[in-house]
Amino acid sequence: MPPHEWIAQYGALVVFLNVLGASLGLPLPVMPTLIAVGASHALGPAASWSIAFPLSLILGTAILAGVLADLVWFRGGKRYGARTLHTVCNLSLSREACVSRTERFFERWGVRLLIVARFMPGLSLVAVPLCGAMGVRLRSFIWHDCVGVALWASAGLTLGAAFAAQIQDLLAALSALGGRVLVAAGVATALYLAYRHGRRAVAAKALEKARIAAQ
């Protein structure tokens, strides 16, 4: 089965799991997945309405997964307050900068921050529990979060559909390489995570020394 046909067949499940996992904090490549799924459906029948319907289902799947995962962090922020926010910020390089930057954005934009948060790396995962900690109403949170996830997922699907031919060539090349691509991707991911962990450890150590010196 060609790669674009496989993605078209299982695209909804892959998108759901990717968006759900990434929204919970896992390092998953969601935007490349959305682009690949959008391209796979654009390579099907030529009629625009026949492309729009399956892409609408994929979009609905992405919105459902994103909002379900965000509700977990939202409830955590509402119940545990700042502790949930600090827990999420532990995933970033600097917890203090993460907290202060997100609070600054929230003071300016309020819950509307959710509409653009997913376009800013790392901000969405922190903005969601902050909304809970700041007492945002559940109805308002779900509405703004749905709009944000919809815009973000639509951007990926549209980009994939617009460059479907180029992406098909790329997928064919990756399929020809077979398992070597998976091995290379796994090694690259492991190296990247190790690099991020090392940078965070160095930054934390330097910050601790600075605090000791200040005292």
Side-chain angles (χ1 to χ4, degrees):
M1 180 182 296
H4 69 274
E5 292 183 5
W6 186 91
I7 295 175
Q9 183 174 352
Y10 300 102
L13 177 61
V14 173
V15 167
F16 181 85
L17 294 177
N18 263 24
V19 174
L20 183 70
S23 299
L24 290 174
L26 299 178
L28 298 175
V30 184
M31 187 54 69
T33 300
L34 291 171
I35 292 174
V37 171
S40 67
H41 284 287
L43 293 169
S48 59
W49 64 267
S50 62
I51 300 174
F53 179 71
L55 287 183
S56 298
L57 294 179
I58 297 294
L59 178 60
T61 300
I63 295 173
L64 176 63
V67 174
L68 284 177
D70 286 348
L71 280 173
V72 174
W73 289 115
F74 177 78
R75 288 296 186 183
K78 185 175 287 291
R79 181 172 182 178
Y80 299 107
R83 284 187 294 172
T84 303
L85 183 60
H86 283 276
T87 299
V88 175
C89 281
N90 281 330
L91 302 174
S92 68
L93 181 62
S94 175
R95 183 177 63 182
E96 289 76 10
C98 168
V99 174
S100 62
R101 184 185 67 167
T102 308
E103 289 178 343
R104 187 168 61 250
F105 276 122
F106 190 84
E107 288 175 0
R108 182 175 181 180
W109 299 103
V111 70
R112 292 174 298 172
L113 177 63
L114 294 175
I115 297 177
V116 297
R118 287 183 179 266
F119 292 95
M120 306 172 69
L123 182 60
S124 174
L125 194 60
V126 186
V128 170
L130 182 60
C131 286
M134 298 301 290
V136 173
R137 290 186 176 182
L138 179 61
R139 180 185 301 178
S140 179
F141 168 79
I142 292 178
W143 164 249
H144 287 87
D145 198 42
C146 283
V147 173
V149 177
L151 291 175
W152 167 74
S154 297
L157 294 173
T158 303
L159 189 62
F163 297 94
Q166 293 82 353
I167 295 172
Q168 180 187 25
D169 294 337
L170 176 61
L171 291 175
L174 294 177
S175 178
L177 292 175
R180 289 175 291 180
V181 175
L182 297 178
V183 174
V187 172
T189 302
L191 291 175
Y192 173 74
L193 294 177
Y195 167 74
R196 287 294 302 271
H197 178 75
R199 285 190 60 188
R200 187 167 61 184
V202 171
K205 187 175 181 179
L207 182 61
E208 185 66 26
K209 288 182 178 180
R211 286 175 176 172
I212 294 175
Q215 292 175 357

